[in-house]
Amino acid sequence: MKKTIIATLLLSVLAGGATNIAIAANVDNGALTSPFMANAIVQTQEVELNAQFSQWLPQVMARFNKLPEVQAQSARATQATLGIAAADKAVYNPELGLGYQNATEDTYSIDISQTIDWGNKRGVATRIAQLESEILLSSIALERSQMLAERLQALVEQSQALKALEFQQQQFKLAKAQLDIARQRTEVGDLSSVELQLMQLDVASNAADYALAEQASIAADGAVLALFGEHKLPFADFVTALIQQANSLDVSPQLPALKSAYQQVLVAKVTAEQAKADTSADPSISLSAEREGDENKVGLGLSIPLQIRNNYSETIAVANQGIIIAEQTYLAQERALLQQQAQFSLSLPRLAARYQDWSELVLTSGAEAAKSLSQQWQSGDINTSDYLQSQRQMSGSYLAGLALESALYSSWLSWMGNSGQLEDYLNRQLPNQDAVAAASVQK
């Protein structure tokens, strides 16, 4: 009987990291084998990165663009465009007057008057509408990036939960196979009954871990379902991509997260001009024609509001204070975003370095350590308690790597979403814009 046990050290390196490792396990005549595949494929660089994005991103973006809340954002953008056209219309319409006086000689009159936009209310209103439209578009871009970050985070957590579930499932199966071998060894006197009970407890522990992983996977599926309306969407890891972005992101007023606040400053300045325009004394001119008996009369009139009781200086002062408020608000948001960027720039490279260290250790020592431990346990060089403890340590190493990868995703998605850059970045990864439409048709 072939007695070879290779423990399932780190069933696979995280699928989207620097390396993918496939592990095949089989039970042959009572013997369990789970060797690391000799032809492990190392996937790196931009070719693999672009291929990964092209496999899943078009369909995810197509599904995202169909969401009702995203459709509402498109309607809001259209509304803002219409608002600019509405503001760019004349402020005052002409007024037509008709008159009749019944006297010894009947009098008939007609006059037309037009108020002049002396304070340029129309120009100021148009400029404000343009700025508000830009603010809205920036806000929508920021909202879309945050929504995308939330949904990609859900897909990431679903993928990570599935990895953990598959890992715990195989651990459970392998633990049961190990228990069968332990029973065989107990029958031939190679293992004590106490050690057999330890193996049974290990199987029970793996069963509990498997059940918890199943619950976590169900919860992750539910989160994706709530955000997308379906829980089965294509997704592939892109750790390489986010690591490459670690040192290439800057904070500038053009970021959607800052652009709307910066434009609020411009709006405040134009609002001060609007206050002056709205309170300006716009004159009115009128032209009239009158017929009194046989006599025709023509008149020309001019009226100017007299700002005696209220010169609106306080209204203008209020608008000027709005400029200060908008400027300080922008500076506060800029400082907050700079702090987020600094935290991101500090954390992501360190997480990436630890992730690469973890991957290298898995590649160089994982299989050999697992094989050595199993051989020593079978030959009696180490007892069952130490062997099981080593197995738990190796399993913990895999789960730690899984948590590390999740932290990488969370850090990157949080920054990209909160700064408003995520959608623009993802659009650049699409093979072409037609791919999104094609994926939408397929759906």
PDB file of all heavy atoms in Angstrom, residues 3 181-192 195 377-380 384:
ATOM      1  N   LYS A   3       1.793   4.590   1.020  1.00  0.00           N
ATOM      2  CA  LYS A   3       1.456   5.475   2.134  1.00  0.00           C
ATOM      3  C   LYS A   3       2.163   6.820   1.942  1.00  0.00           C
ATOM      4  O   LYS A   3       3.285   6.991   2.357  1.00  0.00           O
ATOM      5  CB  LYS A   3       1.879   4.855   3.462  1.00  0.00           C
ATOM      6  CG  LYS A   3       1.031   3.655   3.890  1.00  0.00           C
ATOM      7  CD  LYS A   3       1.407   3.237   5.269  1.00  0.00           C
ATOM      8  CE  LYS A   3       0.529   2.099   5.770  1.00  0.00           C
ATOM      9  NZ  LYS A   3       0.883   1.696   7.127  1.00  0.00           N
ATOM     10  N   ILE A 181      -6.561   7.104   7.075  1.00  0.00           N
ATOM     11  CA  ILE A 181      -5.204   6.564   7.177  1.00  0.00           C
ATOM     12  C   ILE A 181      -4.817   6.368   8.637  1.00  0.00           C
ATOM     13  O   ILE A 181      -4.163   5.377   9.015  1.00  0.00           O
ATOM     14  CB  ILE A 181      -4.217   7.493   6.463  1.00  0.00           C
ATOM     15  CG1 ILE A 181      -4.519   7.522   4.958  1.00  0.00           C
ATOM     16  CG2 ILE A 181      -2.776   7.063   6.712  1.00  0.00           C
ATOM     17  CD1 ILE A 181      -3.661   8.500   4.174  1.00  0.00           C
ATOM     18  N   ALA A 182      -5.224   7.310   9.489  1.00  0.00           N
ATOM     19  CA  ALA A 182      -4.926   7.165  10.920  1.00  0.00           C
ATOM     20  C   ALA A 182      -5.588   5.917  11.494  1.00  0.00           C
ATOM     21  O   ALA A 182      -5.001   5.230  12.342  1.00  0.00           O
ATOM     22  CB  ALA A 182      -5.409   8.413  11.660  1.00  0.00           C
ATOM     23  N   ARG A 183      -6.784   5.621  11.063  1.00  0.00           N
ATOM     24  CA  ARG A 183      -7.463   4.411  11.537  1.00  0.00           C
ATOM     25  C   ARG A 183      -6.701   3.158  11.102  1.00  0.00           C
ATOM     26  O   ARG A 183      -6.576   2.199  11.872  1.00  0.00           O
ATOM     27  CB  ARG A 183      -8.884   4.384  10.994  1.00  0.00           C
ATOM     28  CG  ARG A 183      -9.824   5.364  11.701  1.00  0.00           C
ATOM     29  CD  ARG A 183     -11.147   5.490  10.992  1.00  0.00           C
ATOM     30  NE  ARG A 183     -12.068   6.372  11.729  1.00  0.00           N
ATOM     31  CZ  ARG A 183     -13.131   6.940  11.191  1.00  0.00           C
ATOM     32  NH1 ARG A 183     -13.416   6.729   9.892  1.00  0.00           N
ATOM     33  NH2 ARG A 183     -13.901   7.734  11.917  1.00  0.00           N
ATOM     34  N   GLN A 184      -6.198   3.205   9.856  1.00  0.00           N
ATOM     35  CA  GLN A 184      -5.411   2.062   9.377  1.00  0.00           C
ATOM     36  C   GLN A 184      -4.147   1.903  10.216  1.00  0.00           C
ATOM     37  O   GLN A 184      -3.756   0.775  10.565  1.00  0.00           O
ATOM     38  CB  GLN A 184      -5.063   2.260   7.903  1.00  0.00           C
ATOM     39  CG  GLN A 184      -6.284   2.273   6.977  1.00  0.00           C
ATOM     40  CD  GLN A 184      -5.908   2.637   5.554  1.00  0.00           C
ATOM     41  OE1 GLN A 184      -4.725   2.682   5.206  1.00  0.00           O
ATOM     42  NE2 GLN A 184      -6.918   2.893   4.728  1.00  0.00           N
ATOM     43  N   ARG A 185      -3.519   3.034  10.538  1.00  0.00           N
ATOM     44  CA  ARG A 185      -2.292   2.960  11.346  1.00  0.00           C
ATOM     45  C   ARG A 185      -2.607   2.477  12.765  1.00  0.00           C
ATOM     46  O   ARG A 185      -1.794   1.775  13.386  1.00  0.00           O
ATOM     47  CB  ARG A 185      -1.623   4.327  11.388  1.00  0.00           C
ATOM     48  CG  ARG A 185      -1.056   4.782  10.046  1.00  0.00           C
ATOM     49  CD  ARG A 185      -0.362   6.127  10.180  1.00  0.00           C
ATOM     50  NE  ARG A 185       0.740   6.050  11.135  1.00  0.00           N
ATOM     51  CZ  ARG A 185       1.451   7.111  11.556  1.00  0.00           C
ATOM     52  NH1 ARG A 185       1.132   8.314  11.092  1.00  0.00           N
ATOM     53  NH2 ARG A 185       2.431   6.968  12.413  1.00  0.00           N
ATOM     54  N   THR A 186      -3.772   2.856  13.268  1.00  0.00           N
ATOM     55  CA  THR A 186      -4.158   2.402  14.607  1.00  0.00           C
ATOM     56  C   THR A 186      -4.384   0.896  14.618  1.00  0.00           C
ATOM     57  O   THR A 186      -4.023   0.199  15.587  1.00  0.00           O
ATOM     58  CB  THR A 186      -5.433   3.129  15.057  1.00  0.00           C
ATOM     59  OG1 THR A 186      -5.222   4.541  15.031  1.00  0.00           O
ATOM     60  CG2 THR A 186      -5.823   2.709  16.475  1.00  0.00           C
ATOM     61  N   GLU A 187      -4.963   0.372  13.556  1.00  0.00           N
ATOM     62  CA  GLU A 187      -5.227  -1.066  13.466  1.00  0.00           C
ATOM     63  C   GLU A 187      -3.943  -1.874  13.485  1.00  0.00           C
ATOM     64  O   GLU A 187      -3.911  -2.990  14.036  1.00  0.00           O
ATOM     65  CB  GLU A 187      -6.027  -1.375  12.206  1.00  0.00           C
ATOM     66  CG  GLU A 187      -7.460  -0.851  12.253  1.00  0.00           C
ATOM     67  CD  GLU A 187      -8.186  -1.097  10.940  1.00  0.00           C
ATOM     68  OE1 GLU A 187      -7.536  -1.656  10.017  1.00  0.00           O
ATOM     69  OE2 GLU A 187      -9.375  -0.744  10.830  1.00  0.00           O
ATOM     70  N   VAL A 188      -2.884  -1.316  12.885  1.00  0.00           N
ATOM     71  CA  VAL A 188      -1.612  -2.057  12.854  1.00  0.00           C
ATOM     72  C   VAL A 188      -0.719  -1.679  14.026  1.00  0.00           C
ATOM     73  O   VAL A 188       0.446  -2.101  14.099  1.00  0.00           O
ATOM     74  CB  VAL A 188      -0.877  -1.797  11.527  1.00  0.00           C
ATOM     75  CG1 VAL A 188      -1.696  -2.304  10.344  1.00  0.00           C
ATOM     76  CG2 VAL A 188      -0.545  -0.318  11.349  1.00  0.00           C
ATOM     77  N   GLY A 189      -1.240  -0.863  14.958  1.00  0.00           N
ATOM     78  CA  GLY A 189      -0.482  -0.496  16.144  1.00  0.00           C
ATOM     79  C   GLY A 189       0.520   0.598  15.931  1.00  0.00           C
ATOM     80  O   GLY A 189       1.389   0.828  16.783  1.00  0.00           O
ATOM     81  N   ASP A 190       0.427   1.310  14.820  1.00  0.00           N
ATOM     82  CA  ASP A 190       1.377   2.380  14.519  1.00  0.00           C
ATOM     83  C   ASP A 190       0.932   3.714  15.107  1.00  0.00           C
ATOM     84  O   ASP A 190       1.674   4.695  15.094  1.00  0.00           O
ATOM     85  CB  ASP A 190       1.529   2.507  12.999  1.00  0.00           C
ATOM     86  CG  ASP A 190       2.674   3.409  12.606  1.00  0.00           C
ATOM     87  OD1 ASP A 190       3.664   3.461  13.365  1.00  0.00           O
ATOM     88  OD2 ASP A 190       2.568   4.088  11.562  1.00  0.00           O
ATOM     89  N   LEU A 191      -0.301   3.762  15.629  1.00  0.00           N
ATOM     90  CA  LEU A 191      -0.852   5.004  16.156  1.00  0.00           C
ATOM     91  C   LEU A 191      -1.722   4.677  17.356  1.00  0.00           C
ATOM     92  O   LEU A 191      -2.456   3.670  17.353  1.00  0.00           O
ATOM     93  CB  LEU A 191      -1.695   5.701  15.075  1.00  0.00           C
ATOM     94  CG  LEU A 191      -1.875   7.223  15.182  1.00  0.00           C
ATOM     95  CD1 LEU A 191      -0.538   7.938  14.972  1.00  0.00           C
ATOM     96  CD2 LEU A 191      -2.880   7.712  14.152  1.00  0.00           C
ATOM     97  N   SER A 192      -1.642   5.487  18.400  1.00  0.00           N
ATOM     98  CA  SER A 192      -2.419   5.238  19.612  1.00  0.00           C
ATOM     99  C   SER A 192      -3.852   5.709  19.432  1.00  0.00           C
ATOM    100  O   SER A 192      -4.171   6.498  18.544  1.00  0.00           O
ATOM    101  CB  SER A 192      -1.790   5.953  20.811  1.00  0.00           C
ATOM    102  OG  SER A 192      -1.917   7.365  20.660  1.00  0.00           O
ATOM    103  N   GLU A 195      -4.171   9.473  19.787  1.00  0.00           N
ATOM    104  CA  GLU A 195      -3.831  10.211  18.572  1.00  0.00           C
ATOM    105  C   GLU A 195      -4.950  10.104  17.532  1.00  0.00           C
ATOM    106  O   GLU A 195      -5.222  11.056  16.792  1.00  0.00           O
ATOM    107  CB  GLU A 195      -2.514   9.681  17.998  1.00  0.00           C
ATOM    108  CG  GLU A 195      -1.315  10.037  18.858  1.00  0.00           C
ATOM    109  CD  GLU A 195      -0.029   9.429  18.326  1.00  0.00           C
ATOM    110  OE1 GLU A 195      -0.005   8.191  18.165  1.00  0.00           O
ATOM    111  OE2 GLU A 195       0.918  10.180  18.053  1.00  0.00           O
ATOM    112  N   TRP A 377       5.498  12.507   9.946  1.00  0.00           N
ATOM    113  CA  TRP A 377       4.387  11.991  10.756  1.00  0.00           C
ATOM    114  C   TRP A 377       4.191  10.493  10.521  1.00  0.00           C
ATOM    115  O   TRP A 377       3.997   9.718  11.445  1.00  0.00           O
ATOM    116  CB  TRP A 377       3.114  12.761  10.408  1.00  0.00           C
ATOM    117  CG  TRP A 377       1.902  12.228  11.121  1.00  0.00           C
ATOM    118  CD1 TRP A 377       1.642  12.301  12.458  1.00  0.00           C
ATOM    119  CD2 TRP A 377       0.794  11.543  10.536  1.00  0.00           C
ATOM    120  NE1 TRP A 377       0.433  11.708  12.752  1.00  0.00           N
ATOM    121  CE2 TRP A 377      -0.119  11.226  11.588  1.00  0.00           C
ATOM    122  CE3 TRP A 377       0.461  11.161   9.233  1.00  0.00           C
ATOM    123  CZ2 TRP A 377      -1.316  10.560  11.369  1.00  0.00           C
ATOM    124  CZ3 TRP A 377      -0.734  10.502   9.021  1.00  0.00           C
ATOM    125  CH2 TRP A 377      -1.607  10.211  10.073  1.00  0.00           C
ATOM    126  N   GLN A 378       4.311  10.067   9.263  1.00  0.00           N
ATOM    127  CA  GLN A 378       4.116   8.647   8.945  1.00  0.00           C
ATOM    128  C   GLN A 378       5.241   7.784   9.489  1.00  0.00           C
ATOM    129  O   GLN A 378       5.012   6.639   9.903  1.00  0.00           O
ATOM    130  CB  GLN A 378       4.016   8.456   7.429  1.00  0.00           C
ATOM    131  CG  GLN A 378       2.730   9.031   6.836  1.00  0.00           C
ATOM    132  CD  GLN A 378       2.672   8.797   5.339  1.00  0.00           C
ATOM    133  OE1 GLN A 378       2.349   7.707   4.884  1.00  0.00           O
ATOM    134  NE2 GLN A 378       2.994   9.831   4.590  1.00  0.00           N
ATOM    135  N   SER A 379       6.433   8.353   9.494  1.00  0.00           N
ATOM    136  CA  SER A 379       7.567   7.565   9.992  1.00  0.00           C
ATOM    137  C   SER A 379       7.674   7.609  11.504  1.00  0.00           C
ATOM    138  O   SER A 379       8.507   6.905  12.092  1.00  0.00           O
ATOM    139  CB  SER A 379       8.871   8.105   9.372  1.00  0.00           C
ATOM    140  OG  SER A 379       9.092   9.460   9.761  1.00  0.00           O
ATOM    141  N   GLY A 380       6.838   8.440  12.143  1.00  0.00           N
ATOM    142  CA  GLY A 380       6.850   8.509  13.596  1.00  0.00           C
ATOM    143  C   GLY A 380       7.867   9.477  14.158  1.00  0.00           C
ATOM    144  O   GLY A 380       8.084   9.518  15.374  1.00  0.00           O
ATOM    145  N   THR A 384       1.423  13.049  16.491  1.00  0.00           N
ATOM    146  CA  THR A 384       0.221  13.545  15.820  1.00  0.00           C
ATOM    147  C   THR A 384      -0.131  14.955  16.265  1.00  0.00           C
ATOM    148  O   THR A 384      -0.566  15.786  15.465  1.00  0.00           O
ATOM    149  CB  THR A 384      -0.957  12.603  16.100  1.00  0.00           C
ATOM    150  OG1 THR A 384      -0.624  11.286  15.630  1.00  0.00           O
ATOM    151  CG2 THR A 384      -2.218  13.070  15.392  1.00  0.00           C
TER     152      THR A 384
END
